[in-house]
Short mmCIF file of all heavy atoms in Angstrom, two decimals:
data_model
loop_
_atom_site.label_atom_id
_atom_site.label_comp_id
_atom_site.label_asym_id
_atom_site.label_seq_id
_atom_site.Cartn_x
_atom_site.Cartn_y
_atom_site.Cartn_z
N HIS A 111 124.45 100.29 90.47
CA HIS A 111 125.91 100.21 89.97
C HIS A 111 126.67 101.56 90.08
O HIS A 111 127.90 101.67 90.43
CB HIS A 111 125.88 99.64 88.55
CG HIS A 111 127.20 99.53 88.03
ND1 HIS A 111 128.10 98.50 88.37
CD2 HIS A 111 127.90 100.19 87.12
CE1 HIS A 111 129.19 98.52 87.69
NE2 HIS A 111 129.20 99.56 86.84
N HIS A 115 130.04 102.97 91.94
CA HIS A 115 131.22 103.60 91.38
C HIS A 115 131.68 104.84 92.27
O HIS A 115 132.76 105.08 92.49
CB HIS A 115 130.99 104.06 89.92
CG HIS A 115 131.32 103.07 88.98
ND1 HIS A 115 132.56 102.43 88.83
CD2 HIS A 115 130.58 102.38 87.97
CE1 HIS A 115 132.46 101.58 87.87
NE2 HIS A 115 131.37 101.54 87.27
N SER A 136 131.47 106.54 82.84
CA SER A 136 131.79 105.11 82.66
C SER A 136 131.34 104.69 81.27
O SER A 136 131.14 105.50 80.37
CB SER A 136 130.84 104.38 83.64
OG SER A 136 129.49 104.47 83.32
N GLY A 137 131.12 103.33 80.94
CA GLY A 137 130.78 102.96 79.66
C GLY A 137 129.47 103.21 79.26
O GLY A 137 129.02 103.52 78.10
N GLY A 138 128.50 103.46 80.24
CA GLY A 138 127.10 103.78 80.01
C GLY A 138 126.67 105.02 80.53
O GLY A 138 125.48 105.44 80.18
N GLY A 163 132.62 106.73 77.90
CA GLY A 163 133.22 105.38 77.73
C GLY A 163 132.78 104.81 76.32
O GLY A 163 133.68 104.23 75.68
N ASP A 167 135.17 103.57 73.33
CA ASP A 167 135.05 102.25 72.61
C ASP A 167 134.78 102.18 71.18
O ASP A 167 135.46 101.49 70.44
CB ASP A 167 133.98 101.38 73.41
CG ASP A 167 134.35 101.03 74.86
OD1 ASP A 167 135.57 101.18 75.22
OD2 ASP A 167 133.52 100.98 75.67
N GLY A 180 138.87 102.03 75.86
CA GLY A 180 139.54 103.07 76.68
C GLY A 180 141.02 103.02 76.95
O GLY A 180 141.82 103.88 76.75
N PRO A 181 141.40 101.88 77.67
CA PRO A 181 142.82 101.77 78.04
C PRO A 181 143.62 101.81 76.86
O PRO A 181 144.86 102.29 76.81
CB PRO A 181 142.95 100.44 78.69
CG PRO A 181 141.48 100.01 79.09
CD PRO A 181 140.56 100.77 78.13
N ASP A 184 143.99 105.35 75.58
CA ASP A 184 144.81 106.10 76.57
C ASP A 184 146.31 105.78 76.22
O ASP A 184 147.16 106.67 76.25
CB ASP A 184 144.48 105.49 77.91
CG ASP A 184 144.88 106.38 79.07
OD1 ASP A 184 145.65 107.33 78.69
OD2 ASP A 184 144.48 106.20 80.23
N GLY A 270 134.77 103.82 84.87
CA GLY A 270 135.95 103.40 84.13
C GLY A 270 136.78 104.43 83.49
O GLY A 270 138.10 104.39 83.49
N VAL A 271 136.15 105.46 83.00
CA VAL A 271 136.93 106.55 82.25
C VAL A 271 137.68 107.38 83.30
O VAL A 271 138.70 108.15 82.80
CB VAL A 271 135.95 107.46 81.47
CG1 VAL A 271 136.65 108.51 80.60
CG2 VAL A 271 135.06 106.59 80.50
N ASN A 274 141.44 107.31 82.95
CA ASN A 274 142.14 107.91 81.79
C ASN A 274 143.20 108.93 82.20
O ASN A 274 142.94 109.82 82.96
CB ASN A 274 141.09 108.66 80.80
CG ASN A 274 141.77 109.22 79.68
OD1 ASN A 274 142.15 110.34 79.59
ND2 ASN A 274 141.95 108.37 78.68
N GLY A 301 137.42 100.75 87.46
CA GLY A 301 136.67 99.85 86.66
C GLY A 301 135.64 99.18 87.60
O GLY A 301 135.57 99.31 88.76
N ASP A 302 134.96 98.20 86.93
CA ASP A 302 133.90 97.41 87.77
C ASP A 302 134.60 96.49 88.71
O ASP A 302 135.50 95.76 88.47
CB ASP A 302 132.90 96.64 86.83
CG ASP A 302 132.20 97.53 85.96
OD1 ASP A 302 131.98 98.69 86.33
OD2 ASP A 302 131.52 97.14 85.00
O1 KG4 B 1 132.76 101.78 84.79
P1 KG4 B 1 133.04 100.80 83.77
O2 KG4 B 1 134.23 99.86 84.11
O3 KG4 B 1 131.88 100.02 83.35
C1 KG4 B 1 130.63 100.56 83.17
O4 KG4 B 1 130.00 100.68 84.20
O5 KG4 B 1 130.33 100.95 82.12
O6 KG4 B 1 133.52 101.62 82.55
C2 KG4 B 1 133.99 100.99 81.41
C3 KG4 B 1 134.33 102.11 80.39
C4 KG4 B 1 134.69 101.47 79.00
O7 KG4 B 1 134.00 102.27 78.02
C5 KG4 B 1 136.21 101.70 78.94
O8 KG4 B 1 136.54 101.83 77.46
C6 KG4 B 1 136.43 102.91 79.77
O9 KG4 B 1 135.47 102.69 80.88
N1 KG4 B 1 137.73 102.92 80.19
C7 KG4 B 1 138.59 104.01 79.86
C8 KG4 B 1 139.90 103.79 80.44
N2 KG4 B 1 139.76 102.61 81.14
C9 KG4 B 1 138.47 102.06 81.01
N3 KG4 B 1 138.38 105.13 79.05
C10 KG4 B 1 139.41 105.86 78.95
N4 KG4 B 1 140.68 105.78 79.47
C11 KG4 B 1 140.88 104.64 80.18
N5 KG4 B 1 142.12 104.53 80.70
#
Side-chain angles (χ1 to χ4, degrees):
H111 183 75
H115 271 302
S136 72
D167 294 335
D184 198 351
V271 183
N274 185 266
D302 289 348

